[in-house]
Amino acid sequence: MTRVHGDLDEIRAQLEALQTRDLPTHGGRTLAYVYDSGLTDVDELGREALARYASSNGLDPTAFPSLLEMENDLVATAARLLGGEGNADGVGAVGTVTSGGTESVLLAVLTARDAYPHVSNPQMVLPTTIHAAFLKAAHYFGVEAVLVDVDERTVRADPEAMRAAVTDRTILLAGSAPSYAHGVVDPITEIAAIAAERGIRCHVDACIGGWVLPYLTAVDRASVPPWTFAVPGVTSISVDLHKYAYTPKGVSLLLHRTPDLRRPQYFALASWPGYTMLNSTLQSTKSGGPLAAAWAVTRAIGESGYVALARQARSGAAALASAIGLDWERGIEHLRVVVEPDSTLVAVAADESCDIFTIADEMLTRGWYVQPQMAYRSMPPTLHLTVSAATEPGVEDFLEALRESVAAAVAAGPIEVDPGLAAAATALDPATLDDEAFDGLLQLAGLAGDEGLALPERMAPVNALLNVAPAPLREALLIAFLDRLQRPSS
Ligand SMILES: *Cc1c(COP(=O)(O)O)cnc(C)c1O
């Protein structure tokens, strides 16, 4: 028998110690990245299923038929939820389990591209509030993203402006249900009608809302217009299970209205000496863990459980939004909610008397994580709040911490980025910068010290500088930062 080198209990202790550096995944105080149902026994079941299937391989459904069965069960549940159950001819929506929202979106774009092989230099027309995953898809797959400004007041897609942007090369339109940055649902009926008229595809990105909105009754929900397969012209929908289905990370669904629409998603390769490769997703070897965990958790929570969780998260978000206030005059002084949320996400802006990123730092010292969002076009920088069911009981504590944080940020005053520095940043062409220049810039931005990389205790000065940097420079700088972070430990 092979003798192992490490002391297993010691390694367990090390893992536990390492994890204390991270944001808490449970407890409802982390308002981005993680989703907490507060159901500890269901979480435990999810972890058991994850572990049980960790080594199973979704690469070959004939070798692991249990994974195929669970996948089809999940897709059936999602299709019912999203209005994709069989029509008169009995053919309903079909779907695939993917590793996450980004993979679902990448595949939706790739599938649309390959459905129109005769279109060279294909384009997709997107509202500016669409998730960055679409721009990643554009970058990866050579589909040009044509971004159309949203309505300034409602922050929702402008269908007429989208129609005007459609050309003979357009293969896909998309909208969000809801958008990540502001939490509002786009007018999908109008967008999908344009797509149907032109005979092109329409994807609804319901990655974050797909497992919440259908469970809310009209009473819990502001008047959200329809966005599911019930809307004619919607050809595909993405919904993440590792968000509001509260399953362990690594699982999302991409649904197509019909099997025909899905066909270009498949990839088969027989011309090599190994096994015939047959894939439905970007991954080939695919852990059965996240899928099995999602199957177990969704069965455990069930429809009545999700109704209760959706209402709880929604009521938390609504309570936060109304306490913060929809305009400067109402609610917490110096803050306002950018737009009344349609679901469980809230975007908060601050006035000139304080720095929004300082508020985020102050919240973190009080044990709450809120996510900074930089200024974009005419949109101000904001704080993003993803409200989980488990956050709702803590809303009053959150608001108290927020009031204190605003007071501290007002006392600290706005952060003035040196005008010379801001001007220099605007003039820089990142393409002309070498490694040494990036080292200097990282130091200037506060992301590196004399001893090399260091994340400062307070991110506000870094964020304030990044916020005034043009997007291409911000991207280049953060890539340089990540490149330096990801070096083998010595
Ligand atoms: C989270 C999200 C995505 C991307 O999903 P990941 O799971 O992070 O890859 C795409 N669209 C929307 C609207 C999202 O909220």
Side-chain angles (χ1 to χ4, degrees):
M1 249 244 310
T2 308
R3 286 161 68 89
V4 295
H5 161 78
D7 174 333
L8 303 196
D9 282 327
E10 193 184 312
I11 295 169
R12 284 190 187 96
Q14 285 170 340
L15 283 173
E16 201 177 323
L18 279 168
Q19 205 169 23
T20 60
R21 296 201 229 147
D22 301 345
L23 288 173
T25 56
H26 291 79
R29 296 172 75 99
T30 306
L31 280 80
Y33 307 120
V34 301
Y35 299 78
D36 184 7
S37 67
L39 304 171
T40 49
D41 48 348
V42 177
D43 287 343
E44 180 64 32
L45 173 72
R47 283 194 296 274
E48 278 166 35
L50 189 71
R52 175 181 292 272
Y53 274 89
S55 302
S56 303
N57 195 340
L59 171 61
D60 183 349
T62 63
F64 295 91
S66 71
L67 294 177
L68 178 65
E69 183 172 329
M70 287 188 278
E71 179 173 33
N72 284 336
D73 284 345
L74 280 171
V75 171
T77 305
R80 274 194 300 276
L81 196 62
L82 303 176
E85 60 275 86
N87 54 21
D89 348 311
V91 191
V94 293
T96 317
V97 166
T98 72
S99 63
T102 298
E103 192 183 8
S104 292
V105 168
L106 289 175
L107 281 171
V109 173
L110 184 68
T111 306
R113 185 196 74 178
D114 291 349
Y116 303 95
H118 56 282
V119 177
S120 45
N121 306 314
Q123 295 175 319
M124 52 183 163
V125 173
L126 311 166
T128 52
T129 49
I130 203 76
H131 194 278
F134 282 84
L135 305 178
K136 185 174 178 178
H139 178 72
Y140 277 17
F141 302 139
V143 178
E144 184 191 342
V146 177
L147 290 171
V148 176
D149 275 320
V150 296
D151 182 290
E152 282 217 11
R153 196 179 50 81
T154 66
V155 213
R156 290 174 175 83
D158 176 348
E160 283 318 307
M162 287 177 73
R163 179 196 296 280
V166 171
T167 71
D168 289 344
R169 294 193 281 131
T170 310
I171 53 146
L172 176 69
L173 303 183
S176 312
S179 60
Y180 183 86
H182 304 105
V184 293
V185 177
D186 287 324
I188 300 300
T189 304
E190 290 79 0
I191 296 170
I194 300 166
E197 246 170 64
R198 305 285 305 211
I200 58 179
R201 294 192 178 211
C202 174
H203 182 80
V204 176
D205 182 2
C207 280
I208 203 157
W211 222 262
V212 177
L213 291 169
Y215 289 112
L216 295 176
T217 61
V219 185
D220 304 313
R221 188 176 6 147
S223 50
V224 175
W227 53 270
T228 63
F229 286 118
V231 176
V234 169
T235 53
S236 56
I237 302 179
S238 49
V239 50
D240 291 352
L241 300 178
H242 63 200
K243 288 180 179 158
Y244 282 103
Y246 299 105
T247 77
K249 290 279 183 264
V251 57
S252 167
L253 292 167
L254 172 61
L255 276 75
H256 295 275
R257 184 186 282 278
T258 66
D260 275 355
L261 287 164
R262 178 175 62 180
R263 196 125 323 129
Q265 184 184 317
Y266 290 124
F267 178 81
L269 191 111
S271 56
W272 77 300
Y275 58 89
T276 299
M277 187 189 256
L278 183 57
N279 290 160
S280 56
T281 65
L282 297 177
Q283 286 186 300
S284 195
T285 282
K286 177 158 72 170
S287 171
L291 162 59
W295 185 86
V297 167
T298 52
R299 298 214 139 203
I301 295 177
E303 178 166 336
S304 59
Y306 282 119
V307 167
L309 290 171
R311 295 182 79 153
Q312 194 180 0
R314 168 71 190 162
S315 110
L320 284 180
S322 88
I324 292 165
L326 278 166
D327 50 53
W328 301 119
E329 285 70 45
R330 280 185 285 177
I332 298 181
E333 206 184 345
H334 306 299
L335 295 185
R336 88 179 174 91
V337 167
V338 171
V339 59
E340 184 167 0
D342 277 341
S343 182
T344 53
L345 317 177
V346 184
V348 183
D351 68 18
E352 306 81 57
S353 53
C354 57
D355 173 70
I356 189 104
F357 305 123
T358 303
I359 298 174
D361 285 347
E362 291 291 335
M363 287 298 282
L364 196 57
T365 66
R366 289 167 177 80
W368 293 93
Y369 180 83
V370 295
Q371 189 178 47
Q373 301 186 131
M374 305 274 151
Y376 173 77
R377 298 200 181 184
S378 63
M379 301 168 189
T382 51
L383 297 178
H384 168 100
L385 319 178
T386 286
V387 181
S388 282
T391 303
E392 188 266 341
V395 161
E396 284 311 316
D397 290 347
F398 178 93
L399 289 169
E400 193 180 312
L402 187 58
R403 286 188 195 95
E404 290 173 16
S405 297
V406 171
V410 170
I415 294 185
E416 303 289 351
V417 175
D418 180 85
L421 202 57
T426 312
L428 275 180
D429 174 5
T432 63
L433 301 176
D434 59 12
D435 257 354
E436 215 177 311
F438 276 116
D439 283 330
L441 281 174
L442 286 171
Q443 213 158 20
L444 211 65
L447 287 168
D450 297 333
E451 306 284 305
L453 280 194
L455 262 194
E457 278 285 296
R458 300 184 69 87
M459 286 301 292
V462 178
N463 284 331
L465 191 59
L466 290 175
N467 188 54
V468 298
L473 179 62
R474 199 192 309 156
E475 289 157 4
L477 201 58
L478 291 175
I479 286 173
F481 178 60
L482 185 60
D483 169 53
R484 284 155 180 75
L485 279 182
Q486 294 192 300
R487 296 292 166 94
S489 3
S490 44

